[in-house]
Amino acid sequence: MEIRYLQSVDSTHTYLKNYIKQYGYTNNLCIATQEQTSGIGSRGNSWLGVKGNLFFSFVLKQEDLPHDLQIQSASIYFSYILKNILKDLGSNLWLKWPNDFYIDNYKIGGTITSVSNGLVFCGIGLNLNNVNNEFLKLDIKIDVKELFKLYFKNIEKKILWEDILKEYVIEFDRSKNLYATINNEKIPLINAQLNSDGSININNKKVFSLR
């Protein structure tokens, strides 16, 4: 994975997509910055960041993903691999379904994933500094370059979705204390059931993360 660091950018996700559109895909590429001014969050919301936080987006071919991963659950997959690395480094970070990073009951970041012409684009934002009273920050200090080295090494391993799911099934119970926005409606997850493909059954409906 080639990694390019930018001092500031409107959105790493938008920048990367526009770059690939203009120059084409030649290799797996990651764009990273500590400041973005117009980041993209869940459901099209903005994800603005205080300078010094971590924002990165990367692109890879869909065939680079494990064969048993449904693309609708790629955000869970990418997020959980990062969560495991940070946990090994001493963090209490956990993953709320389907793509939000939490410390206790406070969000500190999130993931979005999209697919275009056989390419998978993933964007991740993580608070390393305090933002406001609604959000916390990562509870450990990290070396970003070392984190990327560990993260993309694990992505390249093509860890099976089956193996990720075995762990996430247990952690998913923590999501039941919170809510998820489904069809623009805030729905309690108390009765949600996680399916083997990463979707959930809730209110007699099957719902994928859709982002």
Side-chain angles (χ1 to χ4, degrees), residues 39-170:
I40 302 172
S42 300
R43 300 172 303 279
N45 296 328
S46 63
W47 179 263
L48 303 182
V50 175
K51 189 173 183 179
N53 290 334
L54 177 61
F55 310 95
F56 66 100
S57 295
F58 59 91
V59 60
L60 43 74
K61 291 182 290 187
Q62 192 166 343
E63 63 192 54
D64 290 336
L65 298 177
H67 65 84
D68 64 340
L69 174 64
Q70 290 203 33
I71 198 61
Q72 296 96 325
S73 293
S75 283
I76 299 175
Y77 181 81
F78 292 133
S79 300
Y80 202 79
I81 289 175
L82 181 60
K83 190 232 72 163
N84 272 350
I85 292 172
L86 291 169
K87 181 181 177 182
D88 288 344
L89 294 174
S91 175
N92 291 310
L93 186 78
W94 65 280
L95 181 65
K96 173 186 165 289
W97 188 90
N99 65 339
D100 292 327
F101 297 110
Y102 269 65
I103 296 287
D104 296 326
N105 287 330
Y106 292 89
K107 183 177 178 178
I108 71 162
T111 302
I112 59 171
T113 304
S114 58
V115 181
S116 177
N117 298 321
L119 297 177
V120 181
F121 294 82
C122 178
I124 295 178
L126 200 61
N127 292 340
L128 304 183
N129 294 320
N130 287 320
V131 177
N132 56 42
N133 292 333
E134 294 182 20
F135 301 93
L136 289 184
K137 64 177 181 177
L138 188 64
D139 53 351
I140 60 172
K141 298 293 184 182
I142 60 170
D143 181 318
V144 171
K145 291 185 177 180
E146 184 62 25
L147 179 66
F148 283 159
K149 182 178 178 181
L150 292 170
Y151 183 59
F152 290 121
K153 183 178 180 181
N154 275 272
I155 295 294
E156 290 167 2
K157 287 180 180 178
K158 293 188 180 182
I159 300 169
L160 292 178
W161 165 251
E162 177 186 11
D163 295 332
I164 295 291
L165 183 68
K166 286 177 183 176
E167 297 183 19
Y168 188 57
V169 163
I170 300 171

